[in-house]
Amino acid sequence: WVLSLAGAAGDVGGAMSQPARPTTWKRPLPQAPKRSVPLPTGTPSKMAKRDAEGAETMIVFSTATKDEIGIRTLLGDYVERGVNHGKTYYQKTVPAAGEMDVYLYFWDKRDGPEFHGWWFGDSVGGTQVWSRNSDFSAAKPPKQGWTIPWDGEVKNELNVLSKAEKTVEAKKSASARMEARRHEEDDKLAEALTADWEKRVTKATEKCAETEFDVMQALESADGVDEAGTDAVRMELEKQQKDITDTQRFVAAEAIAASKEDPNIKSELQDLAKRLRGLQAQVKEKLQSLKTSAPVKAELQEDQVPEEEPFNELEGAHAQQLEEMVSAALEKVEGAEDEVEKVSIAAAPLQVESGDDLRPVMLQAIKETEKSVRSAQASIGEARRFISGKLASVSRFTPSAKKAAVEEFTSLQEKLTEAQTKLNPFKTARQDYEKRSQTKKLMEELSSKLAEAEIEVEKAAMMTAPMGGDNSDGIKETETALATAQSILSQTNRLIASKVRMTDKNAETLLEELKVLQERGKLAQEKLDEVRKTLKEMQVRIAADTLMKEVSDKVAGAEDELQKMSEAELPFLRTEKDQDIEAALAEADKVALKVHTALAEAQSFVARKLVEVARFSEGPGQTVKEEVNMLQKRLEEGRERLQQFRASMADRKRSHLLEEVENKVSTAEAEVKKMTEATASLAGGAQTENLTEAVEEANHAERAAQASVVTARKYLLQKTSDLKKLAMAGAGSGSGSELGRLQTRVNTMQQDIAKLRNSIKDAEERIRVKQVLAEVSDRLQTAEGEVEKVAAVAVTTTEMSAEEIERMDKANSSAKAKLSATAKLVDVKLKSAQGFMQEELLAMRSRIGSAEKKLGTVLAAASEKKQQLASAELVAQVLEKVEKSDGVLKKASEAELPFLKGIEVLSAAETQQAIAACEASAALAQKAISEARTATLQKLAEAKEFEGSVCDACTKDLLSLQKRLDASAAKLTELKKDTTDRKRKAQLQASGEKISAVEAAVKKLAETMVRFSDENLSKLLRDEAQALCQEIAKAEHVAQASVVST
């Protein structure tokens, strides 16, 4: 097996290979019999249906950060297609445009352990594979452990999972990414909030410090002001009072916003608000003091003179405090600078160029840098707040101490600003590193692709060096190499150009590197163009030699065919009479056609090659053109010889054609003469005994003559077309007059045949009329006979049974059908009949009319008898129903006989039994009467379909039967009423008897109880008393049962 991985963009191996590895790998052929790969069976529609019904799907995906061509070809969905070596194999569902099919299958150890495992290939067990996994114990394709190429290193970026597993893993991965992103966003948000609040607190502190500084200056200017400057000072203080109010509002808003933030931030904002309230109190106090009188101010000024000495002491104390403040602030500023320096040290590894193997180290350095940045930012913020606080506290110092403090703290703030400026670039360390990594990967990828393209260009250049002038195989290989190199180089150059356009102009280093790659691409393209030019020159030389050889072979073949024309002329030079001129002419035509074809192909071929010669360069092209022109002249000479040969053959063919046509016309004239003799006995309408035989003989002669004339005319037309072709070729001059004479002779024969044909038609018409009239007459006589039979039966028979009526109907139908068929036949013939035949047919039509009229009378009588019979049957059916209902009603009347004795003489059981019998009989009578009424109504509806008197008589009989039913229904109603009354009386009688029985039982119980009275109780013995109790209990039970039943 040869497992090749081509180096094109659509091929896997070349894209995955390093420069030191060749683009094709081979492995030794296993010493085993040729394996047979079981492929999926069934029609495509069945396979598609099986896939749609739940075939397992495997998903091949990559976790690599960059798009590698080797892995990209294998990515996609793979659907189960069958089983190979005991395990399922799969096929990629939708190959990309231009890519071949990809299969994922298992191979057992029959060919050795080096082939045992799972494979990606272009077919199951095919010769081209891309990747292998040696885990042969897995029932399904393993997730990881795939080598790319098949004998290369394991690429853990390539993963294989089932669709369900991929869905679960994707959900877990998405959840993990979302959780990590959420934590990262929370951290960033917390850092951003902290930094934001540090900025906001710093801004508030600075604003308070500025306000405090301005207020202190205004207060100082108010001290010792004379009466003239009081108004100006008051206005200034009022302005400062307004500024303090604005600042208080700002700080209060910030304090409200920070209510849920860090307590330290809230504390700092509260301190600022407290300081502002103190300033506000000082300004109010100062404004109040300005309202005092001038003497008070003078006295105050006098009182201040002796305080100069305490003021000097206060200045010394302030100076000492300032020194302590500056020392503490300097310590915090230096601490912040140290933290910034630590950030620089932690970020130092990030300035070094590194590969992917050092990425964990770099990420750790970024993490430490970010941690140091947060610490440094916190130190700077803390120092700023400390200095701002101290600036606020020095407002109470003496002017000289305050000035010195402001200068010192301003200097320290500038240092903090420098430290902040130095720290700011390190805040984006992670983004800068990722950007540099992406840039580096981009440059490596572009450089790798360009190096691959340069290698392909070098291959193409090397393939052109040792090539000989006639090595066409080498040229094809070089063209393939050139195409491959051009494809890769064009793709790479376009990719580099797109990256140059997309790169930010500020990224000067990246732009320079991309421009260097662009220059390399241009040089490679120039070298590729030189190779293509060299190859084109070689192609021209080889093409010129090949062209001359092909043209010479074609011309030689045409000249060989020209030599055969001389051999074709030999049969015409002989004077033998028995020779086959047709065969000789056909052979000559074949030879001329072959020669013409050979010359045409050769000339066309030469013309095409001359066009190709025009594309050659001046050197070899001019020489080839001269040689080809010489060969073309030889072909033109051969064409002239062919024209001469064709002209001579055309003259011979014209003479032969005229001779054949003359023979055909003479034969036809002889047949027409025979036809004239055969029709002589039919002229003038003579009647002979053997007219039919004479007509048949004349028809036979006419067919023979007609066939001969048609053959002669057809042959004449065919040969006329051939002679016209010969005339157009210049070889048939003088044959037009001869053809005209022959055409006149054929037309004359055709006219003679038409005249003779009219005589034959007249004789045939006479015979045909006799035959047609005989047939129609026989049919008419038969139909008239049947009509007479039917009429005779209808007249002689007055009463007819159903069978007789049915037989009569059949006879009528048969006679009517025959009359109708005969009438139609006569009508059809009358449409085209003429002469005596028309007269005979009209007479027959009159006879048919008379027979139809007679048959109509018979049909009417038969229909009336049929309806009378049906009417009698209807009345009989209803009469049967009525008589049945009368019989049932009579039985119901008989059921009343027991009551004629009187209901009082019957017992209750007999009464109930008699009433039940009456009710049952009444129900049966009601059912019978209903059925009879229904049948009567149905038959009345059917009777309406009869005609005339039959309908009236049948309706009258049915109505009389309906009256009988009405009378029976009235009797049944009276019977039901009597039965209902008797039933009510019987129920009342039975109730009286039951009540009498209850009274008797109760009376008997009372009589028995009398014997058990107090007077008789003392006289009874124990056994007698017990027997008496049992008798009382029995009587009570009987009485109770009687009451319950009642």
Side-chain angles (χ1 to χ4, degrees), residues 877-946:
Q877 291 176 358
V878 175
L879 181 61
E880 182 182 359
K881 293 281 186 181
V882 172
E883 289 177 350
K884 180 180 178 181
S885 64
D886 290 343
V888 175
L889 182 60
K890 184 177 180 181
K891 290 181 180 180
S893 299
E894 293 173 355
E896 286 185 315
L897 293 177
F899 296 106
L900 298 178
K901 301 175 184 180
I903 192 170
E904 295 80 3
V905 300
L906 296 176
S907 64
E910 291 175 346
T911 302
Q912 292 295 332
Q913 184 177 3
I915 289 172
C918 289
E919 289 177 344
S921 299
L924 291 174
Q926 182 65 49
K927 182 179 179 183
I929 291 171
S930 298
E931 290 178 354
R933 278 182 171 177
T934 302
T936 303
L937 293 175
Q938 290 178 352
K939 300 307 178 182
L940 280 170
E942 293 178 6
K944 292 180 181 180
E945 297 179 359
F946 296 153

Coordinates of all heavy atoms in Angstrom, one line a residue, residues 877-946:
Q877 N -101.2 -10.0 -3.5 CA -100.3 -9.8 -2.4 C -100.9 -9.0 -1.3 O -100.8 -9.4 -0.1 CB -99.0 -9.1 -2.9 CG -98.2 -10.0 -3.8 CD -97.0 -9.2 -4.4 OE1 -96.8 -8.1 -4.0 NE2 -96.2 -9.9 -5.2
V878 N -101.6 -7.9 -1.6 CA -102.2 -7.1 -0.5 C -103.4 -7.9 0.1 O -103.6 -7.9 1.3 CB -102.7 -5.8 -1.1 CG1 -103.5 -5.0 -0.1 CG2 -101.5 -5.0 -1.6
L879 N -104.2 -8.6 -0.8 CA -105.3 -9.4 -0.2 C -104.8 -10.5 0.8 O -105.4 -10.7 1.8 CB -106.0 -10.1 -1.4 CG -107.3 -10.9 -1.0 CD1 -108.3 -10.1 -0.3 CD2 -107.8 -11.6 -2.3
E880 N -103.7 -11.1 0.5 CA -103.1 -12.1 1.4 C -102.8 -11.4 2.7 O -103.1 -12.0 3.8 CB -101.8 -12.6 0.8 CG -101.2 -13.7 1.6 CD -99.9 -14.3 1.0 OE1 -99.6 -13.8 -0.1 OE2 -99.3 -15.1 1.7
K881 N -102.2 -10.2 2.7 CA -101.9 -9.5 4.0 C -103.2 -9.2 4.7 O -103.3 -9.3 6.0 CB -101.1 -8.2 3.7 CG -99.7 -8.5 3.1 CD -98.8 -8.8 4.2 CE -97.3 -8.9 3.6 NZ -96.4 -9.3 4.6
V882 N -104.2 -8.7 4.0 CA -105.5 -8.3 4.7 C -106.2 -9.5 5.3 O -106.6 -9.5 6.4 CB -106.4 -7.6 3.6 CG1 -107.8 -7.4 4.2 CG2 -105.8 -6.3 3.2
E883 N -106.2 -10.6 4.6 CA -106.8 -11.8 5.1 C -106.1 -12.4 6.3 O -106.7 -12.9 7.3 CB -106.9 -12.9 4.0 CG -107.9 -12.6 2.9 CD -107.9 -13.6 1.8 OE1 -107.0 -14.5 1.8 OE2 -108.8 -13.6 0.9
K884 N -104.8 -12.2 6.3 CA -103.9 -12.6 7.4 C -104.3 -11.8 8.7 O -104.5 -12.3 9.8 CB -102.5 -12.5 7.1 CG -101.6 -12.9 8.2 CD -100.1 -12.7 7.9 CE -99.2 -13.1 9.0 NZ -97.8 -12.9 8.7
S885 N -104.5 -10.5 8.5 CA -104.8 -9.6 9.6 C -106.2 -9.9 10.1 O -106.5 -9.8 11.3 CB -104.7 -8.1 9.1 OG -105.7 -7.8 8.1
D886 N -107.2 -10.3 9.2 CA -108.5 -10.6 9.6 C -108.5 -11.9 10.4 O -109.2 -12.0 11.5 CB -109.4 -10.9 8.4 CG -109.7 -9.5 7.6 OD1 -109.5 -8.5 8.2 OD2 -110.1 -9.6 6.4
G887 N -107.6 -12.9 10.1 CA -107.5 -14.1 10.8 C -107.0 -13.8 12.2 O -107.4 -14.3 13.2
V888 N -106.0 -12.9 12.3 CA -105.4 -12.6 13.6 C -106.4 -11.9 14.5 O -106.5 -12.1 15.7 CB -104.1 -11.8 13.5 CG1 -103.5 -11.4 14.8 CG2 -103.0 -12.6 12.7
L889 N -107.2 -11.0 13.9 CA -108.2 -10.2 14.6 C -109.3 -11.2 15.1 O -109.8 -11.0 16.2 CB -108.8 -9.1 13.7 CG -109.8 -8.2 14.3 CD1 -109.2 -7.5 15.5 CD2 -110.4 -7.2 13.3
K890 N -109.6 -12.2 14.3 CA -110.6 -13.2 14.7 C -110.2 -13.9 16.0 O -110.9 -14.1 16.9 CB -110.9 -14.1 13.6 CG -112.0 -15.1 13.9 CD -112.3 -16.0 12.7 CE -113.4 -17.0 12.9 NZ -113.7 -17.9 11.8
K891 N -108.8 -14.3 16.0 CA -108.3 -15.0 17.2 C -108.4 -14.1 18.4 O -108.6 -14.5 19.5 CB -106.9 -15.4 16.9 CG -106.7 -16.5 15.9 CD -105.3 -16.9 15.7 CE -105.2 -18.0 14.7 NZ -103.7 -18.4 14.5
A892 N -108.1 -12.8 18.2 CA -108.2 -11.8 19.3 C -109.7 -11.8 19.8 O -109.9 -11.7 21.1 CB -107.7 -10.4 18.9
S893 N -110.6 -11.8 18.9 CA -112.0 -11.8 19.4 C -112.4 -13.1 20.1 O -113.1 -13.1 21.1 CB -113.0 -11.7 18.2 OG -112.7 -10.4 17.5
E894 N -111.8 -14.2 19.7 CA -112.1 -15.5 20.4 C -111.5 -15.5 21.8 O -111.9 -16.2 22.7 CB -111.5 -16.6 19.6 CG -112.2 -16.9 18.3 CD -111.5 -17.9 17.4 OE1 -110.4 -18.4 17.8 OE2 -112.1 -18.3 16.3
A895 N -110.4 -14.7 22.0 CA -109.8 -14.6 23.3 C -110.7 -13.9 24.3 O -110.5 -14.1 25.6 CB -108.5 -13.8 23.3
E896 N -111.8 -13.3 23.9 CA -112.7 -12.6 24.8 C -113.8 -13.6 25.3 O -114.6 -13.2 26.1 CB -113.4 -11.4 24.1 CG -112.5 -10.2 23.9 CD -113.3 -9.1 23.3 OE1 -114.0 -9.3 22.3 OE2 -113.1 -7.9 23.8
L897 N -113.9 -14.8 24.8 CA -115.0 -15.7 25.1 C -115.1 -15.9 26.6 O -116.3 -16.0 27.1 CB -114.8 -17.0 24.3 CG -115.0 -16.9 22.8 CD1 -114.7 -18.3 22.1 CD2 -116.4 -16.5 22.4
P898 N -114.0 -16.1 27.4 CA -114.2 -16.4 28.8 C -114.9 -15.3 29.5 O -115.5 -15.5 30.5 CB -112.7 -16.5 29.3 CG -112.0 -17.0 28.1 CD -112.6 -16.3 27.0
F899 N -114.8 -14.0 29.0 CA -115.5 -12.9 29.7 C -117.0 -12.8 29.4 O -117.7 -12.0 30.0 CB -114.8 -11.6 29.3 CG -113.4 -11.5 29.7 CD1 -112.3 -11.6 28.8 CD2 -113.0 -11.3 31.0 CE1 -111.0 -11.6 29.2 CE2 -111.7 -11.2 31.4 CZ -110.7 -11.3 30.5
L900 N -117.4 -13.6 28.4 CA -118.9 -13.5 28.0 C -119.7 -14.1 29.2 O -120.9 -13.9 29.3 CB -119.1 -14.3 26.7 CG -118.4 -13.7 25.5 CD1 -118.7 -14.5 24.3 CD2 -118.8 -12.2 25.3
K901 N -119.1 -15.0 30.0 CA -119.8 -15.6 31.2 C -120.0 -14.6 32.3 O -120.8 -14.8 33.2 CB -119.0 -16.8 31.7 CG -118.8 -17.9 30.7 CD -117.9 -19.0 31.3 CE -117.6 -20.1 30.3 NZ -116.7 -21.1 30.8
G902 N -119.1 -13.5 32.2 CA -119.1 -12.5 33.3 C -117.9 -12.6 34.1 O -117.4 -13.7 34.4
I903 N -117.3 -11.5 34.4 CA -116.0 -11.5 35.1 C -116.1 -11.9 36.5 O -115.2 -12.3 37.2 CB -115.4 -10.1 35.0 CG1 -113.9 -10.1 35.4 CG2 -116.2 -9.0 35.8 CD1 -113.2 -8.8 35.1
E904 N -117.4 -11.8 37.1 CA -117.6 -12.2 38.5 C -117.5 -13.7 38.7 O -117.1 -14.1 39.8 CB -119.0 -11.7 39.0 CG -119.1 -10.2 39.0 CD -119.4 -9.6 37.6 OE1 -119.6 -10.5 36.7 OE2 -119.5 -8.4 37.4
V905 N -117.8 -14.5 37.7 CA -117.8 -15.9 37.9 C -116.4 -16.5 37.7 O -116.2 -17.7 38.0 CB -118.7 -16.6 36.9 CG1 -120.2 -16.1 37.1 CG2 -118.3 -16.4 35.4
L906 N -115.4 -15.7 37.2 CA -114.0 -16.2 37.0 C -113.2 -15.9 38.3 O -113.4 -14.9 39.0 CB -113.4 -15.5 35.8 CG -114.0 -15.7 34.5 CD1 -113.3 -14.9 33.4 CD2 -113.9 -17.2 34.1
S907 N -112.3 -16.8 38.5 CA -111.3 -16.5 39.6 C -110.3 -15.5 39.1 O -110.2 -15.1 38.0 CB -110.6 -17.9 39.9 OG -109.8 -18.3 38.8
A908 N -109.6 -15.0 40.1 CA -108.6 -14.0 39.8 C -107.5 -14.5 38.9 O -107.1 -13.8 37.9 CB -107.9 -13.5 41.1
A909 N -107.0 -15.7 39.1 CA -106.0 -16.3 38.2 C -106.5 -16.5 36.8 O -105.9 -16.1 35.8 CB -105.5 -17.6 38.7
E910 N -107.8 -17.0 36.7 CA -108.4 -17.1 35.3 C -108.6 -15.8 34.7 O -108.4 -15.6 33.4 CB -109.7 -17.9 35.5 CG -109.6 -19.3 35.9 CD -111.0 -20.0 36.2 OE1 -112.0 -19.2 36.2 OE2 -111.0 -21.2 36.2
T911 N -108.9 -14.8 35.5 CA -109.1 -13.5 34.9 C -107.8 -12.9 34.3 O -107.7 -12.4 33.2 CB -109.7 -12.5 35.9 OG1 -110.9 -13.0 36.4 CG2 -109.9 -11.1 35.4
Q912 N -106.7 -13.0 35.1 CA -105.4 -12.5 34.7 C -105.0 -13.3 33.5 O -104.4 -12.7 32.5 CB -104.4 -12.7 35.8 CG -104.6 -11.8 37.0 CD -104.5 -10.4 36.7 OE1 -103.7 -10.0 35.8 NE2 -105.2 -9.5 37.4
Q913 N -105.2 -14.6 33.4 CA -104.8 -15.4 32.3 C -105.6 -15.0 31.0 O -105.0 -14.8 29.9 CB -105.0 -16.9 32.6 CG -104.5 -17.8 31.4 CD -104.6 -19.2 31.8 OE1 -105.2 -19.6 32.9 NE2 -104.2 -20.1 30.9
A914 N -106.8 -14.7 31.2 CA -107.7 -14.3 30.0 C -107.3 -12.9 29.5 O -107.2 -12.7 28.3 CB -109.2 -14.4 30.4
I915 N -107.0 -12.0 30.5 CA -106.6 -10.7 30.1 C -105.2 -10.7 29.3 O -105.1 -10.0 28.3 CB -106.5 -9.8 31.3 CG1 -107.9 -9.5 31.8 CG2 -105.8 -8.5 31.0 CD1 -107.9 -8.8 33.2
A916 N -104.3 -11.5 29.8 CA -103.0 -11.6 29.1 C -103.2 -12.2 27.7 O -102.5 -11.7 26.7 CB -102.1 -12.5 29.9
A917 N -104.1 -13.2 27.6 CA -104.3 -13.7 26.2 C -104.9 -12.7 25.3 O -104.5 -12.6 24.1 CB -105.3 -15.0 26.3
C918 N -105.8 -11.9 25.8 CA -106.4 -10.8 25.0 C -105.4 -9.8 24.6 O -105.4 -9.3 23.4 CB -107.6 -10.1 25.8 SG -109.1 -11.1 26.0
E919 N -104.5 -9.4 25.5 CA -103.5 -8.4 25.2 C -102.5 -8.9 24.1 O -102.1 -8.2 23.2 CB -102.7 -8.0 26.4 CG -103.5 -7.1 27.3 CD -102.8 -6.8 28.6 OE1 -101.8 -7.5 28.9 OE2 -103.2 -5.8 29.3
A920 N -102.1 -10.2 24.2 CA -101.2 -10.8 23.3 C -101.8 -10.9 21.9 O -101.2 -10.5 20.9 CB -100.7 -12.2 23.7
S921 N -103.1 -11.3 21.9 CA -103.8 -11.4 20.6 C -104.0 -10.0 20.0 O -103.8 -9.9 18.7 CB -105.2 -12.1 20.8 OG -105.1 -13.4 21.3
A922 N -104.3 -9.0 20.8 CA -104.4 -7.6 20.3 C -103.1 -7.1 19.7 O -103.1 -6.5 18.6 CB -104.9 -6.7 21.4
A923 N -102.0 -7.5 20.3 CA -100.7 -7.0 19.8 C -100.4 -7.7 18.5 O -99.9 -7.0 17.5 CB -99.6 -7.4 20.8
L924 N -100.7 -9.0 18.4 CA -100.5 -9.6 17.1 C -101.4 -9.1 16.0 O -100.9 -8.8 14.8 CB -100.7 -11.1 17.2 CG -99.7 -11.9 18.1 CD1 -100.2 -13.4 18.3 CD2 -98.3 -11.9 17.5
A925 N -102.6 -8.8 16.4 CA -103.5 -8.2 15.4 C -103.1 -6.8 14.9 O -103.1 -6.5 13.7 CB -105.0 -8.1 16.0
Q926 N -102.6 -6.0 15.9 CA -102.1 -4.7 15.6 C -100.9 -4.8 14.6 O -100.8 -4.0 13.6 CB -101.6 -4.0 16.9 CG -101.1 -2.5 16.6 CD -102.2 -1.6 16.1 OE1 -103.3 -1.6 16.7 NE2 -102.0 -0.9 15.0
K927 N -100.0 -5.7 14.8 CA -98.8 -5.9 14.0 C -99.2 -6.3 12.6 O -98.7 -5.8 11.6 CB -97.9 -6.9 14.6 CG -96.6 -7.2 13.8 CD -95.7 -8.2 14.4 CE -94.5 -8.4 13.6 NZ -93.6 -9.5 14.2
A928 N -100.2 -7.3 12.5 CA -100.7 -7.7 11.2 C -101.3 -6.6 10.4 O -101.1 -6.4 9.2 CB -101.6 -8.9 11.4
I929 N -102.2 -5.8 11.1 CA -102.9 -4.7 10.4 C -101.8 -3.7 9.9 O -102.0 -3.1 8.8 CB -103.9 -4.1 11.4 CG1 -105.1 -5.1 11.6 CG2 -104.4 -2.8 10.8 CD1 -106.0 -4.6 12.7
S930 N -100.8 -3.4 10.7 CA -99.8 -2.4 10.3 C -99.0 -2.9 9.1 O -98.8 -2.1 8.2 CB -98.8 -2.2 11.5 OG -99.5 -1.6 12.6
E931 N -98.7 -4.2 9.1 CA -97.9 -4.7 8.0 C -98.8 -4.7 6.7 O -98.4 -4.3 5.6 CB -97.5 -6.2 8.2 CG -96.4 -6.3 9.3 CD -96.1 -7.7 9.6 OE1 -96.8 -8.6 9.1 OE2 -95.1 -8.0 10.4
A932 N -100.1 -5.0 6.9 CA -101.0 -4.9 5.7 C -101.2 -3.5 5.2 O -101.2 -3.3 4.0 CB -102.4 -5.5 6.1
R933 N -101.3 -2.5 6.1 CA -101.4 -1.1 5.7 C -100.1 -0.7 4.9 O -100.2 0.0 3.9 CB -101.6 -0.3 6.9 CG -103.1 -0.2 7.3 CD -103.2 0.7 8.5 NE -104.6 0.9 8.8 CZ -105.1 1.7 9.8 NH1 -104.2 2.2 10.6 NH2 -106.4 1.8 10.0
T934 N -99.0 -1.1 5.5 CA -97.7 -0.7 4.8 C -97.7 -1.3 3.4 O -97.3 -0.6 2.4 CB -96.5 -1.2 5.6 OG1 -96.6 -0.6 6.9 CG2 -95.2 -0.7 5.0
A935 N -98.0 -2.6 3.3 CA -98.0 -3.2 2.0 C -99.0 -2.5 1.0 O -98.7 -2.3 -0.2 CB -98.3 -4.7 2.1
T936 N -100.2 -2.2 1.5 CA -101.2 -1.5 0.7 C -100.7 -0.2 0.1 O -100.8 0.1 -1.1 CB -102.5 -1.3 1.5 OG1 -102.9 -2.5 2.0 CG2 -103.5 -0.7 0.6
L937 N -100.0 0.6 1.0 CA -99.5 1.9 0.6 C -98.4 1.7 -0.5 O -98.3 2.4 -1.5 CB -99.0 2.7 1.8 CG -100.0 3.1 2.8 CD1 -99.4 3.8 4.0 CD2 -101.0 4.1 2.1
Q938 N -97.5 0.7 -0.3 CA -96.4 0.5 -1.2 C -97.0 0.1 -2.6 O -96.6 0.5 -3.6 CB -95.5 -0.6 -0.7 CG -94.7 -0.2 0.5 CD -93.8 -1.3 1.0 OE1 -94.0 -2.5 0.6 NE2 -92.9 -1.0 2.0
K939 N -98.0 -0.8 -2.6 CA -98.6 -1.3 -3.8 C -99.4 -0.2 -4.5 O -99.5 -0.1 -5.8 CB -99.5 -2.5 -3.6 CG -98.8 -3.7 -2.9 CD -97.5 -4.1 -3.7 CE -96.8 -5.2 -3.0 NZ -95.5 -5.6 -3.7
L940 N -100.0 0.7 -3.7 CA -100.7 1.8 -4.4 C -99.7 2.7 -5.1 O -100.0 3.2 -6.2 CB -101.4 2.7 -3.3 CG -102.8 2.2 -2.8 CD1 -103.2 3.0 -1.6 CD2 -103.8 2.3 -3.9
A941 N -98.5 2.9 -4.5 CA -97.4 3.7 -5.2 C -97.0 3.0 -6.5 O -96.8 3.6 -7.5 CB -96.3 3.9 -4.3
E942 N -96.9 1.6 -6.4 CA -96.5 0.9 -7.6 C -97.6 0.9 -8.7 O -97.3 0.9 -9.9 CB -96.1 -0.6 -7.2 CG -94.9 -0.7 -6.3 CD -94.6 -2.1 -5.9 OE1 -95.3 -3.0 -6.4 OE2 -93.7 -2.3 -5.0
A943 N -98.9 0.9 -8.3 CA -99.9 0.9 -9.2 C -100.0 2.1 -10.1 O -100.5 2.1 -11.2 CB -101.3 0.7 -8.5
K944 N -99.4 3.3 -9.5 CA -99.4 4.5 -10.3 C -98.5 4.4 -11.5 O -98.6 5.2 -12.4 CB -99.0 5.6 -9.4 CG -100.0 6.0 -8.3 CD -99.5 7.1 -7.5 CE -100.5 7.5 -6.4 NZ -100.0 8.6 -5.5
E945 N -97.6 3.4 -11.5 CA -96.7 3.3 -12.7 C -97.4 2.6 -13.9 O -96.9 2.6 -15.0 CB -95.5 2.5 -12.3 CG -94.7 3.1 -11.2 CD -93.5 2.3 -10.8 OE1 -93.4 1.2 -11.3 OE2 -92.7 2.7 -9.9
F946 N -98.6 2.0 -13.7 CA -99.3 1.3 -14.7 C -100.0 2.4 -15.6 O -100.1 3.6 -15.2 CB -100.4 0.4 -14.2 CG -99.8 -0.8 -13.4 CD1 -100.5 -1.4 -12.4 CD2 -98.5 -1.2 -13.7 CE1 -100.0 -2.4 -11.7 CE2 -98.0 -2.3 -13.0 CZ -98.7 -2.9 -12.0

